[in-house]
Amino acid sequence: MSLRINSEAPNFTAETTRGNIDFHDWIGNGWAILFSHPKDFTPVCTTEPMIGDPQLKVAKLYDMLPAEAENSSEGRTAADNATVRSVFIIGPDKKIKAMLTYPMSSGRNFDEVLRLLDSCQLTAKHQVATPVNWKQGEDVIIVPSVSDERARQKFPGGWRAPKPYLRIVPQPR
């Protein structure tokens, strides 16, 4: 199964640094960011609370390793795990809202991960889109699926429209 944006995030149970969890139960009604990391102590590593995946079940479930990969992390090298450097943002509906995959030579940009989370949450709540290089507090774009009539109700202060399809408003609070 190939994962895409708006696919249901696969559920799993796992041992973590916070105890055993059922992933969907752990998310509850909140948002989750699932970071993958191939193995302890690689040159570019992170310090998040960890999920143990010694049989590579989560890595395969989230399409980060080929299905035919061995069923154990034992003996695997950083080169074997080159594809296992992904980030998934998952909404309260348990759907994948965003995915990022990094090469093994590049560390994650946590500012970008947080910016993406802010954007996904804002879009889900207010029916707006965030433009390129958007940062918290900057103007946003009313999504095209919102009619002008509905936009006048949602955004009574009006909007700038340099093009008919580009309706720019201050970020909703």
Side-chain angles (χ1 to χ4, degrees):
M1 176 181 94
S2 199
L3 295 178
R4 303 220 184 322
I5 291 175
N6 290 324
S7 294
E8 181 164 330
N11 194 23
F12 59 87
T13 56
E15 186 178 328
T16 75
T17 52
R18 306 270 177 163
N20 289 325
I21 66 162
D22 173 286
F23 189 55
H24 282 190
D25 288 346
W26 180 82
I27 294 171
N29 293 323
W31 289 74
I33 302 175
L34 178 63
F35 294 92
S36 67
H37 194 268
K39 214 168 172 166
D40 290 342
F41 311 116
T42 57
V44 181
C45 68
T46 56
T47 57
E48 302 92 26
M50 297 286 190
I51 293 172
D53 191 23
Q55 284 83 42
L56 307 175
K57 291 177 184 175
V58 177
K60 289 180 180 181
L61 197 58
Y62 276 79
D63 206 20
M64 295 180 279
L65 284 176
E68 64 274 6
E70 297 292 324
N71 291 327
S72 173
S73 60
E74 281 299 312
R76 291 185 66 85
T77 67
D80 296 328
N81 294 321
T83 58
V84 190
R85 284 167 176 78
S86 297
V87 177
F88 296 88
I89 295 180
I90 301 162
D93 59 358
K94 312 306 182 278
K95 301 266 171 116
I96 296 172
K97 303 302 181 185
M99 303 181 293
L100 299 167
T101 301
Y102 291 80
M104 64 187 284
S105 59
S106 300
R108 295 180 183 102
N109 181 331
F110 281 91
D111 290 335
E112 174 58 12
V113 172
L114 293 174
R115 187 193 78 84
L116 186 55
L117 175 63
D118 288 342
S119 175
C120 289
Q121 291 175 330
L122 189 65
T123 298
K125 187 174 181 180
H126 295 289
Q127 293 183 291
V128 295
T130 56
V132 67
N133 296 324
W134 171 85
K135 292 188 179 97
Q136 195 56 268
E138 294 180 346
D139 288 350
V140 295
I141 301 164
I142 302 168
V143 295
S145 61
V146 174
S147 68
D148 281 350
E149 181 181 333
R150 180 76 180 115
R152 279 189 276 284
Q153 294 169 358
K154 289 182 71 73
F155 306 99
W159 57 82
R160 290 182 293 116
K163 302 274 186 196
Y165 56 86
L166 188 61
R167 300 170 294 171
I168 301 169
V169 294
Q171 177 182 320
R173 300 287 170 222

